[in-house]
């Protein structure tokens, strides 16, 4: 799939795999391996952004993947997010879509919606919100595949 296809069809919370098509180098080539890992990976789709016009140019549509967290003693120190623009040459695929019944914890700001967390149930989502302290978050239950494209059912948080 191309990046625009991901922007148009993939639901928030989906696991997206991306690749440049090159083979993975052996571990002994640490610099080549690090470069390969920047163009080949997987992440959870957390945000989609439309094209943004500026005075001298227009930024293309893009999406952001949450690739992981680095933590120490249970405290998240760094969150790894990677954004890809619609004109990316990488090849993308939806590795896994959110399952019906899961609950998206969403935050709306600046005209965009960002996925904060994907919970297994409403109770788990409410506990996550209480623990993390997001007062403006809203909940959305992932519905079956047909209504998934429409966005699911919203709940007030």
């Amino acid at each position: 799939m191309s990046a625009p296809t991901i922007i148009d069809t993939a639901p928030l919370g989906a696991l997206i795999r991306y690749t440049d098509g090159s083979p993975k180098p052996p571990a002994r080539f640490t610099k080549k391996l690090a470069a390969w890992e920047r163009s080949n990976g997987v992440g959870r789709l957390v945000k989609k952004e439309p094209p943004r016009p500026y005075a001298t140019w227009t930024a293309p549509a893009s999406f952001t993947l949450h690739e992981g967290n680095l933590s120490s003693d249970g405290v998240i120190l760094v969150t790894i997010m990677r954004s890809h623009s619609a004109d990316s040459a990488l090849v993308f695929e939806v590795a896994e879509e959110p399952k019906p019944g899961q609950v998206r914890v969403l935050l709306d700001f600046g005209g965009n919606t960002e996925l904060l967390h994907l919970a297994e149930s409403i109770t788990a989502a409410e506990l996550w919100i209480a623990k993390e302290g997001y007062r403006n978050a809203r909940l959305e239950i992932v519905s079956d595949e047909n209504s998934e494209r429409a966005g699911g059912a919203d709940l007030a948080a």
Side-chain angles (χ1 to χ4, degrees):
M1 292 183 170
S2 65
T5 304
I6 295 294
I7 293 168
D8 293 341
T9 64
L12 287 178
L15 281 177
I16 307 296
R17 184 174 291 117
Y18 59 94
T19 183
D20 63 2
S22 64
K24 184 176 180 177
R28 69 181 182 272
F29 298 111
T30 56
K31 289 182 182 179
K32 288 181 181 181
L33 183 60
W36 182 87
E37 288 173 344
R38 285 190 291 274
S39 297
N40 297 272
V42 65
R44 188 164 305 278
L45 182 61
V46 295
K47 185 168 44 170
K48 299 179 189 181
E49 293 189 71
R52 295 172 310 280
Y54 294 102
T56 57
W57 69 292
T58 299
S62 64
F63 61 93
T64 303
L65 301 177
H66 177 257
E67 294 190 354
N69 296 319
L70 299 177
S71 61
S72 176
D73 296 327
V75 177
I76 296 173
L77 302 173
V78 177
T79 298
I80 301 166
M81 302 280 217
R82 187 159 305 191
S83 293
H84 300 276
S85 68
D87 57 5
S88 174
L90 298 174
V91 176
F92 299 90
E93 72 171 315
V94 177
E96 177 183 302
E97 290 194 10
K99 297 173 187 74
Q102 287 186 310
V103 179
R104 293 182 185 104
V105 179
L106 303 168
L107 185 62
D108 298 318
F109 63 93
N112 290 321
T113 300
E114 182 173 351
L115 176 74
L116 299 174
H117 183 67
L118 186 62
E120 291 300 318
S121 66
I122 292 176
T123 304
E126 289 171 343
L127 287 171
W128 186 89
I129 289 172
K131 178 183 170 207
E132 298 298 323
Y134 285 98
R135 290 187 272 292
N136 297 329
R138 66 181 170 89
L139 303 179
E140 181 181 273
I141 298 173
V142 176
S143 56
D144 64 24
E145 186 177 342
N146 294 333
S147 63
E148 174 65 32
R149 301 295 178 220
D154 281 335
L155 300 173

